[in-house]
Amino acid sequence: MSEANIVLPALGPTEWKILWLVLASAFVAIFYGLYLAWGVKNADHNNEKMIPVAKAIEEGAMAYLGQQFKTMSWFVIVMTVALYFLYSKIYGGGDKMLRWVPLGVSISFLAGVLASYGAGYVGMILAVKANIRSAHAALTSFKNSMEIAFRAGAVSGMFVVGLGLLGATVIFLIFREQATKVLVGFGFGGSLAALFMRVGGGIFTKAADVGGDLVGKIEAGIPEDDPRNAATIADNVGDNVGDCAGMAADVFESYEVTLVAAIILAAATLVDPVFLHTYGDRSSAFALQLIFFPLLLRAVGVFSSILGIWSFHVKEGEPMRDPMMPINIGYWISAASSVAGFAIVTVFYLKDPNTGLTDWRFFLATTMGVILALLTLWITNYFTHPDKRPVMETATACKTGAATTILSGISEGSESTVWAVVTISITIIFSYLIFKGEPALAAYGIALAGLGLLTTTGYILAMDTYGPITDNAHGIFQMSGIQQEEEAARTLAWMDAIGNTTKALTKGLAIATAVLAAIALFRSFIDEAKLVDIGIQINNPKVFIGLLLGSALPYLFSALSMKAVGRAAYGVVEEVRRQFREKPGIMLGTEKPDYASCVEIVTAMAQKELLGPGILAIFSPILVGFALGAPALGGFLGGAIVSGQLLAVYMANTGANWDNAKKKIEDGYLGGKGTEAHKAAIIGDTVGDPFKDTAGPALNPLIKVMNLVGILVAPFTISEFDSITRLVVVFLSMTVLCAAVIYSRRGGLSAQ
């Protein structure tokens, strides 16, 4: 029996109590987020020079996010309808409750899209309110400036946690024993929305950043965020639509997909022969406990995140005090309280049915996720922190030009990929060791590790959103022309530099979670495609072809997104050059640049490239599955997971390494700004921008979308369709994919 046919045991009083408890914790997260938002919005920001700049950034960010929603909405509507008809083929002839499943899947998909978009919207709207407040606070207090930025980021984190838990719990309350069938739609919707927001926001932000840096810093010799640069508003808008809205949506889908994967794999134990033999008559009751265990862990995460945020405090004193210290302390408190919460839940809820004793295996699997998070944070911090050896190596390489800068960053990023893979591999091995001889529970343990890694989601997202808020605060400060406030400028510059590290840290966590979630979903695909007994044999030519194609897809995806950044940056460079050339008063300060023109250029390119990646993620698994069969589709998904993980870590850490090497030089190393070393560092930074903020992070939702599509189409790939039907599906999929690639090539630089 496949997972699609599993019906959960009837929910008892304990399960209903858990659902209401988890629902209450979801509202606690949302209300705490509202409380933090109230505190941020009440902070002083009455600065006449800063207000016009902040207002322009806010208007641009809100306008872009609205346009992005309109662009992706028709595609979402088509997918909602398609999912209904797809699932009607599977469940249309069932009993009364089962007949509601197709509608539930399609509506939950739409709800997942809206929740993911809503999480991004909340994150962005608080960021554009907090940037001016953080900048204004820096004039008088390093402590207040940093705490405003961090707590504004925490609002996004708490809404992600609250909306994610709310959606999953409501689905259980409505669909009860059929809930696992509907949850996959919610996770799919969140992943698809995150993919759109990551790609669109990433193209927007990095095109403006690269274009503005190349002309402003290298050609004109003016500082970053200088008001004379026409690309500065677009750059600061991009920080919000890419790093705030995009990352919030990305973390939301990671948070939700790990939960969905754990619940689905727990339900799969109901049809696993080893599990049924081991626990006998108690199997159903124990499986139901395993299904609700992830919900309890997520509820623990609400309170551990709040505890971490509450414990975040900055001491008054030297403004150059490392901002990572209070951030790290808060994270350790959050992580430690999570582990304590896991232990309490395990002791009181999860007993071995055969012995009646507490089953600590599930606690160990979840705690391994927390340990993986700490290792990931340590590795990422080592390779991206401004004061660590890898960044110092790259900064020193700038002495001999851009070529050695690029080579150093690439080598450091490549090395970091190895250690990221090693830590994830150890986590997987550990799960199989503690559940030795029980493959279904071992797969469930991997999903639990993903849950553990993102238990402190509220705090993790606060760490991430802190980065773009401080970047914007620094930009507002620069554009406002308050040069005489040197101490405040140093404070914001140092906070901005550490913000690059925190963004890199959370990208590392998101990538690790994406891999664990994809592996868990991959197990679910194996069950759906009925490949448990025969496995996926790569000596089979069709499977090997699938493996090759899956490994290649992240590279095609990255190529399309980075080409889009390059073309849009080219347009920004030409526009800024034109304005400098035709309006000489800009450099003299007697004329204002036209900021709107650069915003229009990057908006148009981001919208043009928005749908292509979604088409690539959805139709490529369909094409492989119907053309080559289910085993080949398994090879395709496995190849995409492996190469996607390697490429994502490489891009994220390489880009952050180059960025912080540049900031290290701007802080005075090797002579500081305006030197040849600084110009070489800028080249490295601009190359790394689309690495770390466009292609790299967008690979996370890509591999999860493909795995979810694989689960959805698996029953059809093994069905007995006639040759004509298969050929029609293959032809339509190939046509759509070719059209998406060809469309993305329109407007190339050689054609201009």
Side-chain angles (χ1 to χ4, degrees):
M1 182 187 295
S2 73
E3 293 168 13
N5 298 317
I6 294 174
V7 177
L8 302 184
L11 305 186
T14 301
E15 286 72 39
W16 283 106
K17 289 177 183 176
I18 291 172
L19 287 176
W20 292 115
L21 174 66
V22 174
L23 186 67
S25 69
F27 282 110
V28 168
I30 292 172
F31 286 130
Y32 186 67
L34 291 171
Y35 166 75
L36 292 172
W38 176 79
V40 170
K41 291 187 73 174
N42 284 336
D44 185 20
H45 64 288
N46 189 23
N47 189 297
E48 294 181 358
K49 292 184 178 180
M50 294 182 183
I51 288 174
V53 180
K55 186 177 180 181
I57 294 170
E58 181 176 355
E59 289 175 352
M62 299 304 294
Y64 173 79
L65 208 58
Q67 182 60 42
Q68 181 172 258
F69 185 77
K70 291 178 184 177
T71 302
M72 73 183 202
S73 59
W74 73 266
F75 189 80
V76 170
I77 292 170
V78 170
M79 287 301 304
T80 302
V81 175
L83 281 172
Y84 174 76
F85 286 106
L86 179 69
Y87 269 77
S88 294
K89 297 289 185 183
I90 303 175
Y91 301 115
D95 58 36
K96 183 177 179 181
M97 190 63 190
L98 205 56
R99 285 198 294 269
W100 284 102
V101 169
L103 182 62
V105 171
S106 60
I107 291 177
S108 68
F109 165 78
L110 184 60
V113 171
L114 294 175
S116 185
Y117 181 86
Y121 178 86
V122 169
M124 195 193 74
I125 199 169
L126 256 294
V128 296
K129 299 294 184 186
N131 52 21
I132 183 173
R133 289 162 172 80
S134 182
H136 181 69
L139 294 172
T140 56
S141 171
F142 166 64
K143 169 184 169 67
N144 291 343
S145 179
M146 187 165 174
E147 288 184 352
I148 288 171
F150 189 85
R151 285 174 181 156
V155 175
S156 177
M158 297 316 299
F159 268 83
V160 163
V161 171
L163 291 173
L165 266 184
L166 183 65
T169 309
V170 168
I171 288 171
F172 262 103
L173 289 171
I174 295 174
F175 290 93
R176 304 180 186 185
E177 289 79 19
Q178 307 292 347
T180 55
K181 301 178 178 65
V182 179
L183 275 171
V184 69
F186 192 65
F188 183 35
S191 294
L192 191 62
L195 183 62
F196 285 140
M197 295 180 74
R198 260 305 187 191
V199 172
I203 292 170
F204 187 110
T205 181
K206 292 303 112 179
D209 195 358
V210 171
D213 281 355
L214 288 176
V215 182
K217 290 184 176 180
I218 294 181
E219 295 182 8
I222 57 179
E224 186 172 359
D225 295 312
D226 191 295
R228 293 170 291 181
N229 190 330
T232 50
I233 290 294
D235 182 11
N236 284 285
V237 169
D239 291 333
N240 294 290
V241 300
D243 290 330
C244 294
M247 189 62 180
D250 187 2
V251 172
F252 174 86
E253 64 92 14
S254 294
Y255 181 88
E256 200 58 42
V257 169
T258 51
L259 178 62
V260 170
I263 291 172
I264 290 175
L265 289 172
T269 60
L270 288 165
V271 294
D272 180 68
V274 176
F275 184 86
L276 296 175
H277 174 74
T278 303
Y279 298 104
D281 295 339
R282 305 178 185 88
S283 298
S284 294
F286 191 42
L288 199 59
Q289 282 184 293
L290 298 182
I291 289 168
F292 281 82
F293 186 58
L295 289 170
L296 286 170
L297 296 180
R298 285 294 190 228
V300 168
V302 170
F303 298 99
S304 63
S305 293
I306 290 174
L307 184 60
I309 294 165
W310 177 78
S311 64
F312 174 84
H313 291 290
V314 180
K315 293 181 180 179
E316 283 286 9
E318 292 295 324
M320 298 304 286
R321 176 184 172 89
D322 189 351
M324 281 305 299
M325 290 180 63
I327 291 174
N328 286 335
I329 290 170
Y331 183 78
W332 276 93
I333 290 173
S334 186
S337 59
S338 295
V339 173
F342 300 160
I344 293 170
V345 170
T346 304
V347 167
F348 288 99
Y349 179 69
L350 214 52
K351 308 288 185 182
D352 186 315
N354 293 331
T355 65
L357 301 175
T358 300
D359 197 332
W360 289 104
R361 295 177 300 170
F362 302 96
F363 165 79
L364 292 174
T366 311
T367 303
M368 188 62 192
V370 178
I371 296 171
L372 174 61
L374 295 172
L375 289 173
T376 301
L377 289 172
W378 184 85
I379 291 169
T380 308
N381 185 61
Y382 175 73
F383 282 97
T384 62
H385 193 284
D387 293 334
K388 302 296 183 182
R389 188 201 62 81
V391 171
M392 290 296 297
E393 286 283 312
T394 302
T396 305
C398 296
K399 290 172 66 176
T400 50
T404 49
T405 304
I406 299 296
L407 289 171
S408 179
I410 287 174
S411 63
E412 299 293 352
S414 298
E415 183 183 344
S416 71
T417 304
V418 175
W419 307 121
V421 167
V422 168
T423 56
I424 291 172
S425 299
I426 291 172
T427 303
I428 296 170
I429 291 171
F430 185 79
S431 181
Y432 276 88
L433 287 176
I434 62 175
F435 294 106
K436 191 174 182 179
E438 299 182 76
L441 286 183
Y444 177 66
I446 294 170
L448 288 182
L451 283 170
L453 193 150
L454 277 187
T455 298
T456 58
T457 291
Y459 195 89
I460 288 169
L461 202 51
M463 289 168 57
D464 179 82
T465 311
Y466 157 83
I469 290 173
T470 55
D471 193 350
N472 259 206
H474 191 211
I476 290 171
F477 188 87
Q478 291 286 102
M479 292 191 70
S480 301
I482 317 177
Q483 293 90 350
Q484 69 275 14
E485 302 291 345
E486 294 182 4
E487 185 173 324
R490 286 197 302 271
T491 294
L492 290 169
W494 184 229
M495 287 169 57
D496 184 11
I498 294 301
N500 285 325
T501 300
T502 61
K503 287 189 291 184
L505 295 176
T506 48
K507 287 187 183 83
L509 294 176
I511 294 165
T513 309
V515 175
L516 292 178
I519 292 169
L521 292 170
F522 187 67
R523 166 70 192 205
S524 185
F525 164 79
I526 297 296
D527 290 338
E528 287 290 340
K530 301 187 185 305
L531 297 173
V532 175
D533 294 330
I534 63 173
I536 298 175
Q537 302 175 13
I538 62 171
N539 62 324
N540 182 318
K542 287 185 177 180
V543 174
F544 199 78
I545 290 170
L547 183 68
L548 292 174
L549 293 175
S551 300
L553 192 78
Y555 288 87
L556 175 61
F557 174 86
S558 300
L560 295 179
S561 57
M562 287 196 291
K563 281 181 181 179
V565 172
R567 287 197 291 265
Y570 180 90
V572 172
V573 168
E574 290 296 299
E575 174 60 21
V576 177
R577 283 175 176 170
R578 182 194 67 79
Q579 292 195 31
F580 280 148
R581 184 174 59 250
E582 296 179 5
K583 298 180 179 180
I586 291 177
M587 288 298 290
L588 299 174
T590 58
E591 287 184 87
K592 287 189 66 176
D594 178 11
Y595 300 116
S597 60
C598 290
V599 174
E600 290 169 3
I601 290 170
V602 292
T603 298
M605 181 57 72
Q607 297 304 306
K608 173 180 175 291
E609 300 293 337
L610 193 59
L611 297 180
I615 292 171
L616 201 65
I618 291 170
F619 285 94
S620 56
I622 296 174
L623 173 62
V624 172
F626 277 86
L628 300 176
L633 178 55
F636 175 85
L637 296 175
I641 293 169
V642 173
S643 73
Q645 192 273 342
L646 292 169
L647 197 56
V649 173
Y650 163 73
M651 287 183 161
N653 288 348
T654 301
N657 181 281
W658 279 324
D659 195 349
N660 275 341
K662 176 204 68 175
K663 283 189 163 52
K664 189 73 182 176
I665 292 175
E666 289 179 344
D667 285 341
Y669 186 61
L670 299 180
K673 297 179 182 179
T675 60
E676 291 301 313
H678 183 224
K679 291 180 180 179
I682 292 168
I683 297 297
D685 177 37
T686 52
V687 173
D689 276 337
F691 271 44
K692 66 182 175 65
D693 290 322
T694 307
L699 289 168
N700 304 333
L702 174 77
I703 61 177
K704 280 176 281 189
V705 167
M706 290 195 296
N707 275 272
L708 286 164
V709 172
I711 292 172
L712 292 171
V713 303
F716 299 94
T717 61
I718 59 177
S719 298
E720 294 296 329
F721 288 109
D722 58 81
S723 299
I724 295 177
T725 301
R726 284 191 176 273
L727 285 173
V728 168
V729 174
V730 169
F731 175 77
L732 289 175
S733 300
M734 189 174 293
T735 301
V736 172
L737 286 168
C738 290
V741 174
I742 292 170
Y743 182 76
S744 71
R745 292 179 178 273
R746 292 178 60 193
L749 299 181
S750 61
Q752 295 182 12

